[in-house]
Amino acid sequence: MKKHKVMTISLFVIFLILTALNFQSYAASITLRVLSTTIVEKPEGNVERQIAEEFMQKNPDIKIEFIGVPMNNVYAKITTLATGGDMPDIFTNVPQFVAQAADLGIVEDLDELLGPDFIKGFYPNAIREASLNGKLQFIPWFSTPLALLYRGDWFKAEGLAAPQTWDDFVAVAKKLTKDVNNDGKVDRWGFAMLGARNDSAMSRYNCILKTFGAYELRRDTSGNWVTDVDSPKGINALRFFTDLYLKDHVVPPGPTEVSYAEALELMALEKTGMMITGPHSIGGILARNPKLAGKIYSVPVPKKEKHVSFLGVYGFSISKTSKHKDAAVKYLKYLISKENLLEWNRVTGRMPCRIDAGKEPQISGPVYAGFVKAMDYAEAVPNVAFYPEIIDIEGEAVQAVLTGQATPEQAAKKAGEKIRAAIRRAQ
């Protein structure tokens, strides 16, 4: 009886100890609130959630709680949360928002949290895009640099080399444009032109414009905003772009109705051989046509005066008001570890911003080599509130020429006048 009583008391003591330990564990647990736009996308969200689950298994004292917000709504959502004093620990940030986020006073100093040795592991252009006035505003996660996708198998069959200049580009585009089924009509074209009047189309056109040495918007030596769209270089760029459809005939019919989704479809249906886009398009094309795996290569956007690309960097900031900054750093370093960046690239096609991951064969092969090289030519997109108006003005000019309503000179002159008016209104 006495022995039974001692055993009962011992078990009770053990129960109390385990309960206390569990309570301590529960009390010590940290919940990191992460505002993410990619978590609501597919297949991006599945990979991001999987990485978070693995992190929580390895760090049971930290819980990741996602707040999913579509990219189109994220600026307004963050501003609302900041105004209401309810900022999450970690939030999506991009170059277009860093100035506004800094003005809101919601960004923690990442230079101090990460340290210079860790920061050296990123591509310098990615750090530049993620910084404001020399201070790192967000941890670069991935980028979508613009480059030229091309059908490597078609190029090999025709004995063509990847184009380095626009003259090369026109020559190979003409070779690729042909009547494949011998019915007397062209049914394959060299280039999937995006001629729609929207941001996705004009961001690609502006990349071409800059390769000619002209800028839709830039600061002059006095720091004032100016435009080159109606300069001789700007007119040459507009003429070159529209001639691809009007005179060279290397573009499928109806380019003014072609935006990103339609261009992707043209590549997937094997109707076109080249497209200016980011690496994420590879996943989109293969999802529509898996038999193209290993047949799509990349090269930097061809040049007139120079190669140009836009990085499209995306990452996460840590909130200034977060009470768990060390845990936030721990999670973000796990998210951008080489293994996780390679898995992210494998599923989504998006490029890692860490140098060690970028050197892996998965990234450095012919499929992604052009995107890696394009990162060396990245230029920043003007960070002004009236930029969408500039994009619309350019879209109007491009469509006016493509539809025969204006010559390149006439359309460029009108666009130049409108952009200068927009600049004056913004001052």
Side-chain angles (χ1 to χ4, degrees):
M1 184 66 183
K2 184 178 180 181
K3 185 177 179 181
H4 178 73
K5 186 176 182 180
V6 169
M7 183 176 292
T8 301
I9 292 173
S10 298
L11 289 172
F12 182 70
V13 170
I14 291 172
F15 171 77
L16 289 176
I17 291 173
L18 290 174
T19 301
L21 288 174
N22 285 336
F23 176 77
Q24 287 176 356
S25 176
Y26 176 80
S29 66
I30 294 171
T31 297
L32 285 178
R33 297 168 66 217
V34 180
L35 189 155
S36 170
T37 59
T38 44
I39 200 70
V40 298
E41 298 175 7
K42 292 183 178 180
E44 287 80 359
N46 294 336
V47 188
E48 188 175 359
R49 194 168 285 105
Q50 177 187 334
I51 292 172
E53 290 290 340
E54 292 170 355
F55 174 80
M56 287 188 284
Q57 289 175 10
K58 295 179 179 178
N59 300 273
D61 59 325
I62 301 175
K63 178 183 177 184
I64 304 296
E65 184 177 287
F66 284 110
I67 304 170
V69 181
M71 192 66 204
N72 288 337
N73 303 332
V74 72
Y75 304 157
K77 180 67 174 180
I78 292 173
T79 302
T80 300
L81 291 173
T83 304
D86 189 30
M87 281 298 294
D89 300 279
I90 297 170
F91 62 95
T92 292
N93 208 345
V94 293
Q96 294 88 338
F97 189 65
V98 293
Q100 189 174 342
D103 286 344
L104 290 169
I106 57 177
V107 181
E108 182 57 53
D109 181 355
L110 291 176
D111 294 279
E112 186 174 329
L113 278 179
L114 299 178
D117 289 340
F118 185 79
I119 292 175
K120 286 179 183 175
F122 292 95
Y123 287 105
N125 280 341
I127 291 297
R128 185 197 67 197
E129 293 273 307
S131 299
L132 182 68
N133 299 324
K135 293 187 176 181
L136 187 61
Q137 302 294 299
F138 65 86
I139 297 177
W141 180 15
F142 63 80
S143 67
T144 55
L146 279 185
L148 182 72
L149 275 187
Y150 67 97
R151 284 291 298 267
D153 55 333
W154 290 0
F155 272 59
K156 288 179 180 176
E158 298 284 348
L160 303 172
Q164 300 299 315
T165 69
W166 288 121
D167 288 340
D168 297 339
F169 176 85
V170 172
V172 299
K174 288 181 176 178
K175 282 276 189 181
L176 295 175
T177 301
K178 57 176 56 179
D179 172 12
V180 178
N181 62 7
N182 297 315
D183 67 350
K185 298 177 182 178
V186 172
D187 50 22
R188 192 181 83 180
W189 293 266
F191 182 47
M193 170 187 284
L194 277 73
R197 188 173 170 176
N198 60 31
D199 182 72
S200 66
M202 289 305 103
S203 64
R204 289 161 172 81
Y205 172 70
N206 279 331
C207 188
I208 296 173
L209 178 72
K210 289 179 171 67
T211 68
F212 278 72
Y215 287 73
E216 77 281 15
L217 201 62
R218 64 176 173 84
R219 289 192 184 276
D220 64 12
T221 54
S222 300
N224 299 314
W225 288 111
V226 296
T227 184
D228 302 321
V229 296
D230 52 354
S231 68
K233 292 180 179 179
I235 294 171
N236 285 341
L238 182 56
R239 179 182 296 107
F240 164 79
F241 183 67
T242 51
D243 275 357
L244 292 172
Y245 172 65
L246 297 172
K247 294 185 177 179
D248 299 319
H249 306 297
V250 296
V251 173
T256 57
E257 301 299 323
V258 176
S259 191
Y260 175 72
E262 291 77 20
L264 205 67
E265 196 74 10
L266 286 168
M267 291 292 290
L269 293 175
E270 304 190 62
K271 292 294 184 183
T272 52
M274 295 184 285
M275 174 184 178
I276 295 175
T277 191
H280 55 293
S281 298
I282 296 174
I285 293 170
L286 296 184
R288 292 165 173 79
N289 188 351
K291 71 178 183 181
L292 296 184
K295 298 179 179 179
I296 300 174
Y297 296 174
S298 64
V299 67
V301 173
K303 64 179 180 179
K304 180 66 174 180
E305 292 189 357
K306 60 180 180 178
H307 293 297
V308 173
S309 180
F310 303 135
L311 269 189
V313 176
Y314 177 109
F316 285 113
S317 289
I318 296 176
S319 297
K320 207 170 192 60
T321 54
S322 172
K323 297 178 180 177
H324 311 299
K325 295 184 178 68
D326 289 340
V329 169
K330 191 173 187 179
Y331 170 64
L332 292 177
K333 283 188 172 180
Y334 183 78
L335 177 70
I336 61 170
S337 64
K338 183 169 74 174
E339 294 73 20
N340 284 332
L341 286 176
L342 291 174
E343 175 63 9
W344 177 257
N345 166 266
R346 186 187 68 79
V347 177
T348 71
R350 298 172 192 248
M351 301 293 290
C353 291
R354 298 286 291 176
I355 296 171
D356 58 351
K359 290 181 177 178
E360 288 295 309
Q362 174 180 322
I363 307 295
S364 59
V367 175
Y368 292 106
F371 294 110
V372 175
K373 189 65 177 174
M375 295 174 75
D376 294 337
Y377 308 121
E379 297 195 9
V381 175
N383 186 14
V384 292
F386 61 96
Y387 194 67
E389 184 178 357
I390 307 301
I391 288 290
D392 187 61
I393 293 169
E394 291 185 286
E396 180 184 39
V398 167
Q399 293 207 339
V401 181
L402 287 173
T403 56
Q405 299 176 43
T407 65
E409 288 81 1
Q410 292 168 338
K413 181 182 179 183
K414 185 177 179 181
E417 291 170 350
K418 285 191 170 185
I419 291 176
R420 291 187 186 91
I423 293 172
R424 287 193 295 273
R425 285 194 298 274
Q427 291 174 338

